Amino acid sequence: MPQNNFEIECDRLSSVVDGALFERLQWERNVGPVLARLVAFAHAALEKRGEFEFTEEGATRDVKRFVLKVHANRVMAVAMRVETGRAVLEAQPIDRSRYSLASGPPLSVAFEELDEQWMARALQELFSRVQS
């Protein structure tokens, strides 16, 4: 949904008055909620799979990172972030894992297309990269 001119001017003025505070408010208004939705969808996708567990490890404000454990074995990390209007998921290798990952690009979706089905498909793709 494109911003109207009034909203654009409000953002501009807010940024001029206090750039750091404007950035923090923008993050809280836009990025934070999308990142929270990403995390909620990922946890919901695994809800019925008791042998799968996400454990937060190495997360920051801008990147939520979870180690995937299957049958209590560390397998891989899934990093979630928001960049340029898109939600992004990325598979990452982790220490103390017996598994490697086939290479592949991060997966992304526009905010308005982010839903439970997209998350399930994205996790399926990332999980398919795990090799013994």
Side-chain angles (χ1 to χ4, degrees), residues 31-45:
V31 176
V34 174
L35 204 47
R37 283 182 57 206
L38 270 172
V39 170
F41 287 151
H43 283 286

Side-chain angles (χ1 to χ4, degrees), residues 33-79:
V34 174
L35 204 47
R37 283 182 57 206
L38 270 172
V39 170
F41 287 151
H43 283 286
L46 298 180
E47 193 171 54
K48 295 180 182 176
R49 299 301 305 245
E51 74 273 27
F52 285 70
E53 175 188 355
F54 273 139
T55 304
E56 191 168 333
E57 187 176 296
T60 66
R61 181 192 80 152
D62 296 324
V63 178
K64 297 303 176 196
R65 185 175 182 273
F66 296 89
V67 168
L68 174 69
K69 294 180 181 178
V70 181
H71 302 296
N73 294 292
R74 295 168 56 88
V75 177
M76 65 186 280
V78 176

Side-chain angles (χ1 to χ4, degrees), residues 46 50-55 57 65-79 90-102 123-132:
L46 298 180
E51 74 273 27
F52 285 70
E53 175 188 355
F54 273 139
T55 304
E57 187 176 296
R65 185 175 182 273
F66 296 89
V67 168
L68 174 69
K69 294 180 181 178
V70 181
H71 302 296
N73 294 292
R74 295 168 56 88
V75 177
M76 65 186 280
V78 176
E90 181 177 22
Q92 298 175 341
I94 57 171
D95 294 333
R96 302 185 325 267
S97 175
R98 294 180 283 175
Y99 307 95
S100 61
L101 293 174
L123 288 175
Q124 178 183 348
E125 168 62 27
L126 296 182
F127 292 175
S128 75
R129 297 176 187 177
V130 175
Q131 302 173 341
S132 57

Side-chain angles (χ1 to χ4, degrees), residues 106-125:
L107 306 175
S108 70
V109 65
F111 292 165
E112 56 273 359
E113 296 174 30
L114 176 59
D115 62 13
E116 296 90 350
Q117 291 78 29
W118 182 86
M119 179 58 72
R121 288 190 308 273
L123 288 175
Q124 178 183 348
E125 168 62 27

